[in-house]
Each structure stands twice: as structure tokens, then as C-alpha cells.
Amino acid sequence: MKNSHNTILRFWAKTSDNLLDPARQNAYHPLICHMIDVACVAQIMWRDVLPKVTKQRLVKPFELENDFDRAGRIIAFLAGLHDLGKCSPPFALRGKFRSEKEQTRRLCSLYMDTECDCDAVDAWKVPHGYVTALTLPDILVDKYGFPFSFAQQLAESIGGHHGVFAASSDFDRIDSFPVGESLGGPAWDRSRKELVAELLDLVGATLEGLEFNTKALDKSTSLVFAGFVSVADWIGSNTDHFKCRIENSTETFDLDLSDYVGSSKRFAAGAINDLGWNNWPKNTDIRQFDELFSFGSGKRDLQQKAIDIAQTVNGPGIFVVEALMGEGKTETAMYLADHLNASLGTRGIYFALPTQATSDQMFGRVSAFLRNRFEESGAFVNLMLQHGHASLSDEFSENVKNFRRIRNVYADSENFNEKHSNIGAAEWFTYRRRGLLAPFGVGTIDQILLAALQTKHVFVRLFGLAHKTVIIDEVHAYDAYMSTLLGRLLEWLGALGSPVIILSATLPKHRRTELIKSYLKGLGQKFGRDELPISTGEADVYPRISLAFAGMGQRQFRIAGLKTAAQNTRTIKLEFHDEVAFLEELKAKLAGGGCVAIICNTVRRAQRLYDLLKENDFFHDKASDDGPRLDLLHSRFRLKDRQLREKRALLRFGKRGSTVPFTEGNNKVDRPVKRPDMAVLISTQIIEQSLDLDFDLIISDLAPADLLLQRAGRLQRHQQETRPPAFVDAETGEHIPSLWILRPPLDENGGIKVSENKRDAGQPDLGDSGLIYDRHVLL
């Protein structure tokens, strides 16, 4: 070896796993090289990826707000220290080199003061990340003048890059082992210090004269930094871009680390480009509402008030938008999110919804919005669909293919659909725990609720959400457990500086107050146990936009007097029908045609009702669109069949003039919505929220009042040129929206029958509905 770095080059970080190639079986990547790789990735991410607000958060602990370049080098240096703990006997002596045992003994003699028999503690008992967290503080304090508590907190964030922070009990366990077999003796200490000094010099960072703001290194900043380090390590460990530098550990080799830094920077730049991290839309320009959306009927009052509010916001905050179904809440939220990203310097949007079905439909709407938003800029838009079956979504799979085509992975680039050329899904982000790192995402609420739980790599999720605008739709749909998690998540989002937009049509006053209060706590505002963040003297109004943001103090700014669009102001006819007799009444109603949804509270109930209606000859014929007169949709179908049925529902009952994407062979076809003359869809709650469907009549199982309102939101939702005669008043010509509620069986006195079930003896018999919703609410 022709190098002055003889000792530290013998510490390894990774080895070749190519057992079939004898020439590569002894290849390894020196630890210092891997540390350089991660530092170079961190530097490029600092320069090209992180938004300014994130940089401002990370430089504040070092009082370097006026020197981002120096701060970036320091942050990169610290990120590169993540694997310092690999310079310890448990990791270094694992026998990973595919040579004789004597090779490991020879390496061991380089590290320790005496000959070693290689009886180091098993590596899993002394994780190298914990060793980093344990040994790094003393080096930063003794050699570079860091305050101890500051250095300790940094080391904890850096050492947790494998997903879990070391606890005091972990340090006690490591200390219980002989030092020579866990942390190593003085020679190991010297080598770790040499690794730190070498990396500092190679990265070009300077630590002299630093001023430390210990208060600025709070929990949220520490977690953002921990997430940043983990992501840089994931990218820097990509073997397609960072291969083992030493071909054969048993032979002498020559390696100039200064030259390697230049190579590593090129590898890092290639990785950032190929994995889809660069060229993200920066959102530096503010767009007007009319530029983002083109509505022939003009803006709704809700949307105009949102435009007015947006001009007043100068910091991260929470918006609670309450308005009727069909009032344009989705467009309002997307406009606010885009405006906040542009004006505050934040970047990205995550749109959270209650179900996979609503997520799939919203994915198409958000994709169309982003395509229009960034079409002129030519920027690549990385949009992810995030839920348990996202990989089986045809539209999302097409986005993954689009990214490959954009990166010229496909040879048949001439077949590329230019309509979708700026929308793609970088495949690197589709793997576990990575989805929230993409700038734009649509998915189920659980994907972000995981950021409020003590899960592995929770700080990576928080890093992905930091300074990203989060839209949470149908917030009323979550139960007590999820609502508790949501409150905790809102605290974190407030602390992370992430604006939040909450949408609901039916949100109780106390729930709205709890949500706003949770977010304000994250912003640092304190409340007494019963103290409210609002002025109790203000009158309640509906519809409304409520907001609170940094700098407003402990008050809620309310927008009163929102006007509901004329087409959304209507009277709904509410009728109770008997479960047994309603079928004949329904057939009579549909004699002249019509589209009906029957919403059941359980899958079992939907299946039974479907079987009952299917026996009737009235539903055997096909509808005018060649589709079935009677259809069924619930969550227990095979995913492929469920997706097909969801698209069929959108195709038949969706908005006139819109299209629904279908896959035919290898081609994607947009089919126009075609409404049948008469059809009945039996479904569960999956159509009660967010799905843009329109029915002439809704028939519902008994449900809580707010959910009945949601279901009624699919009732004559769109402007139709004509409605079947049975749904139009003969004298006035006005449409008659009707909601039928199927009441439980009644006894001879007209009261609800008492349950004969032993468990519920003496209780009202509410059937399956009583198993889903609280009995007292249904009563």
C-alpha cells in the first residue's frame, strides 16, 4: 500500500457480495471512502435538493444563517460521520473478508496494541450506530470545542441512521463488555479520531470559531437532521453508483483519498440524478387561482375568500376549511398549498385521504393539477401514490414507467406519451419508508400517522414531511384512536414548520378546536387544560375557513359569511323506509329510469342485499351503456376486480364531460363518462367520501348524522341537463333530491325491536349497524 493512510484504509464499510466472481470475493469499500461518499451526497443534496427553509433550520444551531456554503460543508461532514462506529472490534472483526482466517487476524493486529485472538463481541450486541453515538461526543468536545450536550445530541441523531436511537440502557450494556472487545483500546480511539480529522479535511469543512445555539438544536431540528443523515446514507450506499473501491483486500493497493473525493462527487451527482432527487419544482413563482384552474362558472365564494386569506399568511399555519360537498374544497386546498409553497419557500404536498378508493381517485386529480402547474417550466414532477396496494394501481404503474422513459431507461422512448411527460414516479421512492421523501404524494392517512408513532426510521418520515404542505381530507371520518394520533401528528407538523390544510363538510366545533390547538402547541404556544386557542365570544358560522399561523398569537382568525353556491343550496327530502318493503317502492321509483346508490354499513349486508335484488327480474337486463343494471362494490373483492368496479362506477356515475383512465393491453385509454338510463349500485362506505359520484337517489343504512350528510353529498351532486321524471317536481320542474334511510325492524308498537341475541338482550336491535357505530349515536 503506497499511502500514508495505511491504518484507516484497512477499516472496511462494505464488502462485495458477488460470491460467483472469484475476482470480487475479497473486494471491499474502505470505511473512509464510504464516509466520503455520504458526505458528498449530503453536500449535493444541500446544494440542489433541500428547500431554503430546511437549510435555515439546520444552520441555526451553528449561527451560520449568513454562510450557507460553510454550513453545508459542516452538515455534510457530520453526516459522513454516521458510520464512525464501524471502527470498532465487533464490526471490523466480523470476518466479512472472503479470505483465510489469518487475514482477519492480520487486520486485527493493525488496530490493537497487542496480538488478538479475534474474540470480539458479536456485532449485533454492539451496533455500530450506537458506537458512533457513544464515542463521537468526546471527539467533538475535546478536539473541536463543541459543548458536550450539543455534541451528544448531534451524535445521537447521527448514530440513529439505522432507524433507532440508542438509549441509556444500550450504552450501559455496551459498557458492560470488556473495552478491548467492544469499543477497542487506545489504538481504536486514535483511529476514530484520525477518521474524523481526515474526513473534515477532505470535505473542506472548518470548525474554528463556530458559535453554538443549543436551544436551536431542539427535538424537531434533531429529527430533521437524523432523517437527512439516513437518506444521505441510503443514497451513498447504493452499489450501482458506489462500488467497492478495493478490488482485493489480500493484495497491496494504491489509493489517493484526495483523488477519491473528486470521484465520489461524480458518483454522488450521478446517483442524485438517476434516482430522481434533482430537478424538483422549486415553486418560486406565485400563481393566481385562475392560472391553476379554469372554471367556466367562475370562482366560488369559498375559493375567493381563500385567495384573500393567502395574501395575509407569512408563516406556517393550519387552515380548517368547512363547507358543503361540491363547494370546491379540493381546488381551494390545492391553491392554498401551492401558494404557501411559493410564498414561504416550502416544497411539496401530501394529500391524505381515508381510503384507498378515495386516494386512487384523488391521485388522478392531483396528477392533472401538477401537470398543468409545471407544464411550462419543464420540471420533472415526482408524484407518489401511497397505500398498501399502490403498486397494483394502473395509473401509478404508468407513472413509474414515465420516470424510466424520462431518464431514457426505455429504448422505445419514441412511444412515450408526451401528455404525461413531466409527471413520473421515481422508482427509488417506491420502496418502504421512502414514499414521503418524494415532493408530491397522495395516499391514505395512515402513511403520515406513522410519523406520530415510535416506529423504525420515524425521523425519515418526519424529514419527508418537514416544510411540506399537508392536506387532510374528510377529517371527520377518523375514529377516536386515529383522531388522537392525528392530534399528535399535528403537533409535530407545527414544530416542523409544515403548513396543514384540513377539509371537512361536517366537523363538530370541539373537534375543530382540538385540531387547531394541537397545531399551535407544535408552534410553541402553551395552553391551560381547559383553555381554548380562540375567542369564545365569536359567533359560529358555516361554511367557514378557520386559520391560525405563526405570529398570530393565541387567537383564531375566522372568515365569516361564506356564501354557498346557488347550485349547492337545496332541500333534501328525507324519508324512512322499511327494510322489507323498500324494494317494491324502489322498482316503482325507477319505472321511468334513474341512477341509485344503496350504501350499506358492512360488506356482509351489501352482499346479502345484492343477492336479494339480483333474484328480481327487474334488475336482470343490461342498462343503456351495456353495463349491469345492478352492480356491487366493496373492499373484499380482489384488488384488481375492486379497481375495475371503482372505475366502472366513476365511468357511469361520474361528472359529465370527464374521463376515466383504463388500461387496454399496453395502452392507456381515457374513456368519457357515460351515464346509464337506469342502474343501481350497492356499496359500502367506500363511496361516501371524496369519490365524485352523482346519483338521483341515495338509499342508506342507519348511520350517524354527519355520515348521512356525507352520503347525501353524492345526491344529485352535478348539474345534469335532465333527470328522470320520478326525480323532478311536475309543477315546478325542480329536481327532488331524496335520501331514503332504511330503518331497523319495528315491533307492533312502532318502536325498534329488542335484540334476541344473548349478548345484547334487552337492547334495541340495530343489526349490523350497531356493530359498526356507537348505539347511542344511532338512536
Side-chain angles (χ1 to χ4, degrees), residues 214-500:
T214 55
K215 290 184 179 180
L217 191 62
D218 53 19
K219 289 184 178 179
S220 56
T221 302
S222 296
L223 290 175
V224 170
F225 179 56
F228 176 65
V229 172
S230 289
V231 171
D233 181 38
W234 290 351
I235 298 173
S237 299
N238 188 294
T239 55
D240 290 335
H241 296 87
F242 301 94
K243 302 184 184 300
C244 289
R245 182 60 183 81
I246 305 304
E247 295 289 338
N248 193 332
S249 63
T250 64
E251 299 177 356
T252 59
F253 54 85
D254 183 18
L255 177 58
D256 188 307
L257 291 179
S258 298
D259 290 343
Y260 182 77
V261 171
S263 300
S264 182
K265 287 181 179 179
R266 291 193 298 274
F267 301 152
I272 292 293
N273 178 72
D274 294 345
L275 299 180
W277 275 93
N278 62 343
N279 298 328
W280 291 3
K282 300 298 191 297
N283 289 37
T284 54
D285 59 325
I286 295 178
R287 293 290 182 90
Q288 301 303 313
F289 189 92
D290 293 334
E291 295 179 89
L292 298 175
F293 307 99
S294 56
F295 296 137
S297 57
K299 294 186 285 293
R300 303 283 174 85
D301 190 56
L302 167 68
Q303 295 162 346
Q304 184 58 56
K305 290 296 193 302
I307 294 170
D308 297 339
I309 289 172
Q311 315 306 317
T312 68
V313 178
N314 56 13
I318 182 171
F319 299 76
V320 182
V321 181
E322 300 168 80
L324 288 175
M325 293 69 71
E327 276 292 291
K329 294 191 295 293
T330 299
E331 289 78 13
T332 298
M334 288 194 282
Y335 164 76
L336 285 172
D338 186 80
H339 186 92
L340 290 168
N341 286 341
S343 60
L344 302 181
T346 54
R347 190 184 335 174
I349 301 171
Y350 183 82
F351 212 124
L353 299 113
T355 66
Q356 293 184 13
T358 54
S359 299
D360 288 342
Q361 192 198 22
M362 189 59 69
F363 182 76
R365 295 177 68 181
V366 172
S367 180
F369 167 76
L370 294 174
R371 186 180 305 119
N372 174 64
R373 172 65 173 88
F374 299 108
E375 187 174 20
E376 294 181 3
S377 69
F380 162 61
V381 180
N382 191 3
L383 174 63
M384 309 301 295
L385 176 63
Q386 293 182 246
H387 58 63
H389 293 121
S391 61
L392 300 179
S393 164
D394 290 339
E395 191 167 0
F396 181 60
S397 297
E398 185 67 20
N399 271 19
V400 175
K401 293 178 182 178
N402 286 347
F403 172 76
R404 294 172 181 167
R405 289 163 177 157
I406 291 169
R407 289 293 188 263
N408 294 320
V409 175
Y410 281 176
D412 59 341
S413 56
E414 65 274 7
N415 296 324
F416 181 43
N417 186 349
E418 291 297 333
K419 179 181 178 182
H420 306 286
S421 61
N422 67 328
I423 303 291
E427 196 164 6
W428 187 90
F429 294 86
T430 63
Y431 289 86
R432 190 180 180 189
R433 303 191 184 101
R434 299 179 186 176
L436 291 179
L437 297 171
F440 298 100
V442 178
T444 48
I445 185 71
D446 60 289
Q447 300 295 318
I448 57 174
L449 288 180
L450 286 170
L453 295 172
Q454 290 188 1
T455 55
K456 193 172 183 181
H457 279 114
V458 63
F459 41 83
V460 172
R461 292 188 173 94
L462 290 172
F463 171 65
L465 290 173
H467 311 116
K468 177 178 292 181
T469 301
V470 177
I471 304 172
I472 305 174
D473 200 3
E474 311 289 2
V475 75
H476 57 272
Y478 308 126
D479 57 23
Y481 176 71
M482 293 181 70
S483 296
T484 301
L485 288 179
L486 179 58
R488 184 60 177 159
L489 174 65
L490 289 175
E491 286 190 50
W492 274 114
L493 292 175
L496 293 170
S498 303
V500 174

